[in-house]
């Protein structure tokens, strides 16, 4: 006995027979970018909706009046209490010889002398230096006459890219003043906080020896 044909559902007859495709990588990235943009935009727009007391607290950054001597010149400045000595020198006083390397006290590119002692300017809060005397690389030369160690760096070709050179020289000056130049090994030990990514260490040691009168 013949069977009757099973009636077809009109909706399934017109459906796409191919299975749904998974989202592509491009689709996922595009969607993520759109969501991220929306979140950033929402944050920016939302910042203007802060209550007035909260907005005032954000705007009220504590500052201090500071007086110090840099390279023989007296300066009186008002700074954010969080300002580092390095940022004070570079951003407020325009003394860009001191370099910002790691900004964490690990490379020595920002080394300056504070009251005659070497110090990492990136780790030193400016507000702690009331009445201090700071010497940077700009303050070593006597007019057009270079400091002895600056000239020694030239004589020994002790720099390559030059980025670490200001900190190396200031640290070397302190090393000589402290009397830590008895041997190349002693110089390396007391200059170990200053990193040269170009590898000019042997020439730097020779320059310090020359300036100290050891070579």
């Amino acid at each position: 006995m013949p069977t009757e044909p099973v009636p077809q559902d009109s909706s399934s007859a017109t459906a796409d027979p191919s299975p749904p495709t998974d989202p592509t990588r491009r689709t996922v990235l595009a969607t993520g970018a759109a969501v991220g943009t929306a979140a950033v935009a929402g944050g920016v727009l939302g910042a203007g909706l802060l209550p007035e007391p909260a907005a005032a607290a954000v705007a009220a950054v504590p500052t201090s009046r500071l007086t110090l001597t840099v390279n023989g010149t007296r300066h009186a400045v008002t700074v954010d209490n969080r300002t580092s000595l390095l940022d004070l020198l570079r951003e407020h006083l325009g003394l860009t010889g001191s370099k910002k390397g790691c900004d964490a006290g690990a490379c020595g590119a920002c080394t300056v002398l504070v009251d005659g002692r070497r110090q990492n300017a990136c780790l030193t809060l400016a507000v702690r230096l009331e009445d201090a005397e700071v010497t940077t690389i700009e303050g070593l030369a006597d007019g057009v006459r270079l400091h002895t160690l600056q000239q020694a760096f030239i004589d020994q070709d002790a720099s390559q890219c030059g980025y670490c050179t200001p900190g190396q020289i200031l640290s070397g000056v302190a090393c000589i003043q402290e009397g830590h130049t008895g041997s190349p090994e002693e110089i390396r030990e007391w200059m170990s906080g200053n990193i040269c990514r170009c590898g000019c260490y042997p020439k730097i040691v020779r320059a310090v020896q020359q300036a100290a009168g050891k070579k």
Side-chain angles (χ1 to χ4, degrees):
M1 180 176 182
T3 59
E4 295 182 2
V6 178
Q8 299 291 326
D9 186 353
S10 60
S11 61
S12 62
T14 58
D16 186 352
S18 61
T21 58
D22 293 332
T24 65
R25 180 174 179 275
R26 179 175 296 178
T27 304
V28 172
L29 292 176
T31 303
V35 172
T37 302
V40 172
V44 172
L45 293 175
L49 302 178
L50 286 173
E52 288 188 7
V58 172
V61 177
T63 60
S64 296
R65 187 71 172 171
L66 170 69
T67 303
L68 75 169
T69 301
V70 181
N71 298 330
T73 301
R74 196 77 168 162
H75 295 275
V77 294
T78 299
V79 296
D80 180 330
N81 288 350
R82 300 163 295 181
T83 301
S84 68
L85 172 58
L86 180 60
D87 285 338
L88 171 65
L89 294 172
R90 293 179 58 84
E91 308 299 334
H92 293 259
L93 303 182
L95 299 172
T96 57
S98 303
K99 303 305 181 186
K100 181 174 287 192
C102 65
D103 210 23
C107 72
C110 65
T111 302
V112 297
L113 302 183
V114 178
D115 294 331
R117 298 172 62 88
R118 47 182 151 177
Q119 203 155 320
N120 289 328
C122 72
L123 296 184
T124 305
L125 286 175
V127 293
R128 297 176 62 88
L129 300 180
E130 178 68 27
D131 291 329
E133 292 192 11
V134 179
T135 302
T136 72
I137 192 67
E138 291 91 345
L140 280 185
D142 182 10
V144 296
R145 183 181 180 184
L146 296 178
H147 185 278
T148 305
L149 187 53
Q150 288 176 308
Q151 185 60 55
F153 262 65
I154 295 173
D155 295 342
Q156 298 294 337
D157 191 23
S159 64
Q160 188 165 327
C161 78
Y163 197 84
C164 75
T165 302
Q168 296 277 6
I169 291 177
L170 266 298
S171 186
V173 168
C175 187
I176 294 170
Q177 292 174 348
E178 294 160 6
H180 297 304
T181 59
S183 67
E185 292 73 23
E186 185 178 15
I187 293 172
R188 292 189 188 98
E189 175 66 25
W190 287 90
M191 294 281 291
S192 60
N194 293 79
I195 296 174
C196 173
R197 290 177 172 84
C198 300
C200 290
Y201 297 113
K203 296 178 180 180
I204 291 172
V205 170
R206 289 199 295 268
V208 174
Q209 286 183 295
Q210 176 181 320
K214 304 294 183 180
K215 184 174 181 179

